[in-house]
Amino acid sequence: MRRVLVAVIASLLVASLFAPVAVGAQASGSGQAVPKVVIIVGPTGGATNRYRAEARAAAAIARDYTPDVTELYSPNATWPAVKEALQGASLVLYMGHGNGWPSRYRDSLYPPTQDGFGLNPTAGGSDASHQYFGEGPIADDIRLATNAVVLLNHLCYASGNSEPGLAEGTLDMARQRVDNFAAGFIKAGAAAVVAEAYGNPNHMVRVVLGGKRSIETAWRTAPTANHHSFAFESVRSQGYVAQMDPERSSSGFSRSIVLRAGLASADVLRNARGSIHPASASIDPVALDPSLRDSGITLAAPVIQGATAVDGRIRYKIPFKVADRDKLPKSIQASVRWDLLEAAPVDATATAPAPPTGDVAVAPDFGLITPEQGGDVIAPAALKIGKSAMAINVATPSVRGRYR
């Protein structure tokens, strides 16, 4: 009996160890849909290498469960590539800069750039420059699989926090940040948005793709749990519940989740739209990111009409020369960045949040703090192409200060 029992236990252990791979093999043989996983790392300066390493570890875990895993890392994590990869995704993991609201940079929510991704402006650049694509573009241009789960790791604002060096704000502000950051992803089809300021995503990746647990229970019992959780109804997403698990009862906003009640990992897998031969594996960020570099165009210094008055508008007129006008595309998009030269005063008596742990120092998250971080990038707008100049009208910042 003892030998039989040992043999049975050994068989169960072996089955447990190889269950994820076996599920993937079964899906491959039957031709059924598999979960599509997309992992994104945006440019975050000195922290980017650490995030890429965490992302690769998470991707290795995901491949134990599904063959459809796409990795888009800086310097090739551009909006065109991310937008194409995310269509039909069941699990999305993003690590990078976070630009949320409420914040000191705007008087009201700005969907074009807030509560979304911080991505590379062009493919093949560096880890230093980032461009924000907020809840507006996400809701308009991305369609996730039904009951998809979005994981946001290491972002500022997403879990209710602020950013290193700034006061984290009140509990009410934190609740709004959590609710706002989830809204665009939910409009795109997500049933749960999980934010972790400091922890790695491995636990939730296993849970979502494992198909056997409640998403809420898994979040509450995660290794990073602070055991101070509380819930409130989402204002932005009807029928959803937001939960926060701060380090203290009303501060240290490092964990959050916004989800549809009752969501289980089996619900995520049931609606999988991925393929055993994923087309996303062939995504070419450079090909998806057209530019004027090869058109033979020569640009001159822009002529600027207007001033940076609060909530005003400025017209940029950019003279150009081109030998063959047929090489110009029918439409061109451009972005404008604002660098704040004089930041608004910070309350010196307020308690600043502790920086993330680890051996990599994280610089202030939002570019308006210091010019070297890169400023707020307005959502791409169409240029009007004339015979010898291109023109664009853009809104000026809504916060008082001197800009360049």
Side-chain angles (χ1 to χ4, degrees):
M1 266 311 274
R2 184 175 300 170
R3 290 180 181 175
V4 173
L5 183 59
V6 170
V8 170
I9 292 174
S11 298
L12 289 174
L13 287 174
V14 170
S16 174
L17 286 172
F18 290 95
V21 178
V23 169
Q26 182 180 7
S28 300
S30 64
Q32 69 186 43
V34 297
K36 180 179 181 180
V37 178
V38 179
I39 301 177
I40 305 159
V41 175
T44 50
T48 314
N49 280 336
R50 177 161 60 98
Y51 295 171
R52 278 190 287 252
E54 285 191 18
R56 291 188 180 105
I61 293 171
R63 287 193 173 94
D64 285 341
Y65 297 88
T66 175
D68 197 342
V69 179
T70 298
E71 298 172 75
L72 285 171
Y73 301 158
S74 178
N76 293 315
T78 63
W79 172 245
V82 166
K83 179 173 62 174
E84 177 160 315
L86 286 180
Q87 307 304 327
S90 291
L91 177 62
V92 178
L93 166 60
Y94 165 64
M95 301 181 188
H97 279 306
N99 173 17
W101 195 84
S103 72
R104 69 174 184 168
Y105 307 110
R106 290 190 178 274
D107 297 326
S108 60
L109 178 65
Y110 189 65
T113 60
Q114 290 181 321
D115 301 317
F117 299 117
L119 303 174
N120 297 101
T122 57
S126 71
D127 295 333
S129 299
H130 57 277
Q131 179 173 356
Y132 288 116
F133 294 86
E135 67 168 78
I138 290 172
D140 291 342
D141 298 333
I142 293 172
R143 291 297 173 264
L144 301 173
T146 302
N147 290 329
V149 175
V150 175
L151 307 180
L152 306 173
N153 283 66
H154 304 306
L155 277 66
C156 290
Y157 297 98
S159 60
N161 55 348
S162 175
E163 53 191 88
L166 294 185
E168 66 178 3
T170 65
L171 177 59
D172 180 63
M173 292 172 67
R175 288 163 57 121
Q176 291 183 66
R177 288 167 180 162
V178 169
D179 200 13
N180 287 330
F181 226 109
F185 295 102
I186 290 172
K187 289 178 181 176
V193 180
V194 181
E196 287 269 2
Y198 307 125
N200 69 57
N202 297 351
H203 168 74
M204 292 305 299
V205 170
R206 289 190 182 97
V207 167
V208 172
L209 298 177
K212 297 180 180 179
R213 297 191 63 185
S214 155
I215 300 299
E216 178 183 356
T217 301
W219 176 80
R220 285 177 171 270
T221 58
T224 54
N226 297 312
H227 306 293
H228 297 137
S229 60
F230 60 89
F232 55 96
E233 289 187 10
S234 171
V235 175
R236 295 292 311 282
S237 305
Q238 188 175 4
Y240 282 70
V241 176
Q243 298 187 50
M244 297 175 64
D245 180 26
E247 296 165 9
R248 295 163 291 279
S249 58
S250 59
S251 63
F253 308 119
S254 60
R255 301 185 71 238
S256 69
I257 185 171
V258 181
L259 81 165
R260 191 169 57 242
L263 180 69
S265 56
D267 300 321
V268 181
L269 304 189
R270 189 178 301 114
N271 293 279
R273 292 168 53 189
S275 169
I276 59 172
H277 302 296
S280 56
S282 61
I283 287 178
D284 182 356
V286 176
L288 290 171
D289 187 24
S291 74
L292 296 174
R293 285 173 294 196
D294 300 325
S295 65
I297 191 170
T298 302
L299 302 178
V303 177
I304 303 174
Q305 300 172 337
T308 55
V310 177
D311 288 329
R313 297 195 70 82
I314 283 183
R315 178 180 174 86
Y316 286 84
K317 190 175 182 181
I318 308 169
F320 70 87
K321 292 181 179 179
V322 62
D324 185 359
R325 287 186 64 89
D326 290 338
K327 289 187 176 182
L328 290 177
K330 293 181 179 180
S331 63
I332 302 176
Q333 289 187 327
S335 296
V336 176
R337 189 182 80 191
W338 302 105
D339 289 325
L340 182 62
L341 302 179
E342 292 181 353
V346 179
D347 184 2
T349 63
T351 302
T357 57
D359 56 356
V360 179
V362 179
D365 190 88
F366 196 82
L368 291 180
I369 300 175
T370 54
E372 62 268 23
Q373 273 296 104
D376 186 15
V377 180
I378 308 303
L383 282 165
K384 292 183 178 180
I385 307 173
K387 291 184 178 180
S388 60
M390 296 177 283
I392 180 175
N393 292 295
V394 295
T396 57
S398 60
V399 177
R400 294 184 183 278
R402 293 176 59 244
Y403 294 85
R404 70 175 181 185

